[in-house]
Amino acid sequence: MAEDYEPTIIAFVCNWCTYTAADLAGTSRLTYPPNVRLIRMMCTGMVDPKYVIKALLEGADAVLISGCHPGDCHYINGNFKARRRVKLLKEILPRFGIDESRLRLTWIGASEGVDFARTIKEMVSEMKALGPSGLKEQMVL
Ligand code: FES
């Protein structure tokens, strides 16, 4: 595997918790790899499974969905909807030859900038070990 391989991670993050944690990580000058592209959503419950599949098909090596801890969702149960969708996606992805570890769901609260930085570091490390998804190259559109 090429040593210079840098995975791309698309992160759908909830405005109220994980986006704020990512902001806190930045203002706290915590370092984490620049491989992540944040997409701010009002709630993880708004992340349509199609967004995840589209991201993977269009070149993302991994997708992170991250929002409020259970009980803290500003829309009451959006994060539980996200959890059910991720469970189903993890069952479906391997049927398309996609390793289920390329999708991750986490709860990272607004004050948990350290956890956000750690999560990104872990994901980048895991994806480097797993290698490129190669899905985009396999797609014949
Ligand atoms: S508002 Fe954060 S997960 Fe719903």
Side-chain angles (χ1 to χ4, degrees):
M1 181 167 327
E3 265 186 34
D4 57 354
Y5 163 59
E6 290 295 339
T8 300
I9 297 168
I10 300 295
F12 295 99
V13 294
C14 145
N15 174 63
W16 305 101
C17 288
T18 306
Y19 185 82
T20 308
D23 198 29
L24 178 63
T27 54
S28 304
R29 302 204 182 282
L30 299 174
T31 57
Y32 59 87
N35 304 58
V36 64
R37 309 287 180 270
L38 294 182
I39 299 176
R40 178 161 54 163
M41 311 287 288
M42 290 310 285
C43 175
T44 54
M46 295 176 68
V47 181
D48 190 306
K50 283 184 291 200
Y51 302 166
V52 173
I53 291 168
K54 188 169 169 43
L56 291 167
L57 291 178
E58 295 197 357
D61 294 294
V63 172
L64 170 68
I65 299 173
S66 185
C68 308
H69 287 272
D72 289 347
C73 176
H74 288 233
Y75 305 95
I76 301 172
N77 60 2
N79 49 5
F80 293 125
K81 287 180 186 164
R83 184 165 64 186
R84 285 196 294 273
R85 290 176 185 149
V86 166
K87 187 174 185 308
L88 286 171
L89 276 165
K90 281 181 169 282
E91 287 175 21
I92 292 166
L93 292 178
R95 297 181 198 178
F96 295 96
I98 304 169
D99 193 295
E100 58 95 18
S101 68
R102 292 188 186 277
L103 173 60
R104 186 160 170 171
L105 174 69
T106 59
W107 313 132
I108 299 175
S111 63
E112 297 171 334
V114 171
D115 289 338
F116 177 79
R118 180 183 41 76
T119 299
I120 300 304
K121 284 179 196 165
E122 281 176 11
M123 284 188 78
V124 169
S125 170
E126 282 174 22
M127 289 308 113
K128 283 188 173 182
L130 195 60
S133 80
L135 274 175
K136 189 174 182 183
E137 293 72 26
Q138 290 172 29
M139 293 301 297
V140 180
L141 300 174

